[in-house]
Amino acid sequence: MTESGYQDREQSELKHYAIKLYLEAAARILGSAWNLKYVDCCAGPWNSTKSDYSDTSFGIAFEVLRAAREELSSRSWAPQVACLFIEKEMAPFSELDAFAKAKNSPDLRVRAENWDFAERMDEIVRYCSSPRTFPFILIDPWGWKLAGISQISPLLKLKRGEVVINLMSSFITRFVNDNATDLSDLLGKDFPELRRLSGSEREFAVVRKYCDLIKREGDFAYVCALPVMKPDSDAFNFYLIYATRHPKGVDVFKRVEKRTEERTQVVRADVQKRQRQERTGNFELFEPDVQYRERKYQQLATDNRGRAQRQILDHLKMAGDVPYDDCWAEALQYSAVYQSDLRSWIDAWEKEGTVLVKGRKFPTELLKRDCGHLLAYRGESVLT
Ligand SMILES: C[S@@+](CC[C@H](N)C(=O)[O-])C[C@H]1O[C@@H](n2cnc3c(N)ncnc32)[C@H](O)[C@@H]1O
């Protein structure tokens, strides 16, 4: 077993890494104005090897919220912070309940419930609806059925709150062809149309469709999808779908996505090195990243940059002056696309004369949200 305790389930390591980074930032931002509630709908523990549960989503969330509360309390406003951890199966629930009882305190209320979360929507909604409260919801089931829109709709419709859902894209993409499987609750009634697509096009469409339905159901302004790769093959395992109503949330989550992308390379390079050594029996002197191989993520990034550029140019062609903020929102909801990409495209479009930028206060001003920058389409490039 590796020191991290995640050997052979490195995808969970990456998931936990992303959840931790997101909660650390979000709790500090939102906890300075709101009381916080955190609900883990499928808490486990599942395959935990650490006695302090520091390798579980609930153990990580508790520790992050405890630290955030402590830090915020030293400032003027001390938010009330509480956690609800839900687990359906009795054996893991017993462990979860013992954890909750040990950690519960007047400063940070921790409660575990032996519930099927899908059957307890009213209670969860009531829990999240106390005054001046901002809820974070994590939905991380096995498989994909419990991620269906009708199953989780009341949580999406909470007036305030952010939701992270584990979408098992690798299963779903395979099941699209199976006539016996109805994916309409996940991907809409027209999901059979996805059968026309194959490979990464289909995978992209599955994730995009789900994000669109989540956005519509919860009236979210932004939904992002953070890809998590399989540790030992060049493929995606699942996506963390993140829904928010605030652009600041997108800022935070895209930073999380970037750091998770970097962490993915480290974790997968280690796995590949371990596998090579097991195969050959040779001890390697190189750092693991020297021989790191990966194509899938790079392909997604290239494809999504192309998709985002086309979408923005189409939008600019149809509209008059378009706020930079709208282009930012369109671009960043594509996985593996970042603000630096958007700025470099606009820079190139400006240079070739395709797009005019208005509203800069001085010629070298960096394009940013909330600064009144506008983009206008001027016609096909004179260079192409
Ligand atoms: C993937 S594991 C969760 C892992 C955990 N979130 C983590 O990252 O450490 C899924 C857990 O959800 C539980 N579960 C499945 N269906 C559930 C339901 N309807 N309600 C509550 N828990 C459920 C399973 O028993 C299992 O412990």
Side-chain angles (χ1 to χ4, degrees):
M1 180 61 63
T2 54
E3 206 180 298
S4 72
Y6 283 104
Q7 186 167 335
D8 300 328
R9 55 178 196 119
E10 286 83 359
Q11 65 277 39
S12 295
E13 177 175 359
L14 295 167
K15 173 179 71 179
H16 291 163
Y17 183 77
I19 290 171
K20 180 169 186 278
L21 291 178
Y22 158 66
L23 263 187
E24 277 173 350
R28 279 167 181 77
I29 295 168
L30 288 154
S32 55
W34 302 91
N35 295 318
L36 304 177
K37 284 206 168 153
Y38 176 81
V39 182
D40 191 333
C41 294
C42 299
W46 183 57
N47 285 345
S48 171
T49 61
K50 301 275 188 183
S51 56
D52 60 358
Y53 298 106
S54 57
D55 60 348
T56 65
S57 55
F58 67 84
I60 289 165
F62 170 81
E63 200 39 49
V64 168
L65 292 170
R66 190 202 55 70
R69 191 195 172 279
E70 200 173 292
E71 196 183 306
L72 289 164
S73 310
S74 62
R75 302 186 203 157
S76 50
W77 150 260
Q80 291 169 21
V81 182
C83 302
L84 171 60
F85 298 140
I86 302 171
E87 170 55 47
K88 189 173 84 166
E89 299 299 330
M90 198 56 212
F93 171 73
S94 306
E95 287 186 55
L96 185 68
D97 196 37
F99 177 88
K101 290 194 166 111
K103 299 295 184 187
N104 184 35
S105 74
D107 284 346
L108 206 170
R109 289 283 171 210
V110 187
R111 174 177 151 202
E113 293 291 351
N114 187 203
W115 289 348
D116 177 333
F117 85 88
E119 290 173 1
R120 300 299 188 121
M121 282 294 153
D122 291 352
E123 278 119 311
I124 303 173
V125 167
R126 242 193 330 273
Y127 177 81
C128 293
S129 303
S130 38
R132 209 176 167 183
T133 294
F134 194 94
F136 300 109
I137 314 269
L138 174 65
I139 303 171
D140 179 22
W142 281 322
W144 44 267
K145 287 196 178 124
L146 287 167
I149 306 291
S150 72
Q151 301 272 354
I152 60 173
S153 171
L155 303 181
L156 302 176
K157 286 181 184 294
L158 281 167
K159 206 163 63 197
R160 269 188 301 278
E162 299 197 339
V163 183
V164 173
I165 306 161
N166 182 341
L167 183 73
M168 292 301 290
S169 51
S170 52
F171 286 147
I172 298 162
T173 306
R174 265 186 281 137
F175 273 106
V176 165
N177 271 350
D178 178 13
N179 286 325
T181 305
D182 181 3
L183 293 172
S184 54
D185 196 29
L186 205 64
L187 302 176
K189 288 207 172 348
D190 54 354
F191 81 91
E193 287 179 18
L194 294 166
R195 291 179 186 149
R196 289 187 287 114
L197 305 171
S198 59
S200 55
E201 285 295 327
R202 180 188 284 183
E203 189 167 349
F204 169 79
V206 161
V207 176
R208 193 77 179 175
K209 197 78 211 285
Y210 186 71
C211 290
D212 287 346
L213 293 178
I214 293 284
K215 193 186 278 184
R216 194 182 332 143
E217 186 74 6
D219 201 18
F220 288 102
Y222 314 95
V223 177
C224 301
L226 184 158
V228 176
M229 294 194 78
K230 295 184 178 175
D232 52 358
S233 60
D234 197 14
F236 295 112
N237 197 336
F238 52 81
Y239 282 70
L240 292 178
I241 308 297
Y242 165 70
T244 181
R245 298 181 178 88
H246 203 284
K248 184 82 191 147
V250 179
D251 267 341
V252 165
F253 201 75
K254 292 304 286 190
R255 252 176 279 142
V256 171
E257 184 183 342
K258 186 75 200 162
R259 287 183 60 188
T260 308
E261 181 184 322
E262 289 156 7
R263 182 80 200 146
T264 297
Q265 297 192 12
V266 175
V267 168
R268 294 182 76 250
D270 266 347
V271 171
Q272 289 179 6
K273 178 175 176 178
R274 200 172 64 231
Q275 288 178 337
R276 278 194 306 274
Q277 290 187 162
E278 280 165 10
R279 226 177 16 247
T280 61
N282 293 334
F283 179 75
E284 287 182 10
L285 289 172
F286 321 113
E287 287 300 311
D289 60 340
V290 172
Q291 295 201 50
Y292 178 59
R293 297 282 171 273
E294 178 268 306
R295 200 188 54 83
K296 191 79 183 179
Y297 199 99
Q298 299 311 317
Q299 187 63 50
L300 177 78
T302 305
D303 291 349
N304 275 358
R305 285 187 206 117
R307 290 174 177 126
Q309 286 187 68
R310 283 193 294 281
Q311 190 188 342
I312 291 169
L313 279 177
D314 286 349
H315 185 162
L316 292 175
K317 279 180 202 168
M318 303 283 292
D321 291 351
V322 175
Y324 171 79
D325 302 27
D326 293 358
C327 300
W328 174 91
E330 276 173 18
L332 268 64
Q333 288 175 88
Y334 283 90
S335 310
V337 172
Y338 300 98
Q339 176 154 258
S340 53
D341 297 314
L342 175 64
R343 285 184 178 138
S344 74
W345 308 333
I346 296 173
D347 193 39
W349 292 335
E350 249 190 313
K351 285 199 177 103
E352 66 183 23
T354 316
V355 165
L356 180 69
V357 177
K358 303 178 185 174
R360 279 201 185 98
K361 285 161 209 69
F362 50 94
T364 55
E365 187 184 19
L366 202 59
L367 294 181
K368 275 204 223 99
R369 272 193 307 111
D370 290 336
C371 289
H373 297 139
L374 295 170
L375 273 62
Y377 188 72
R378 298 184 66 186
E380 292 304 322
S381 162
V382 287
L383 304 177
T384 52

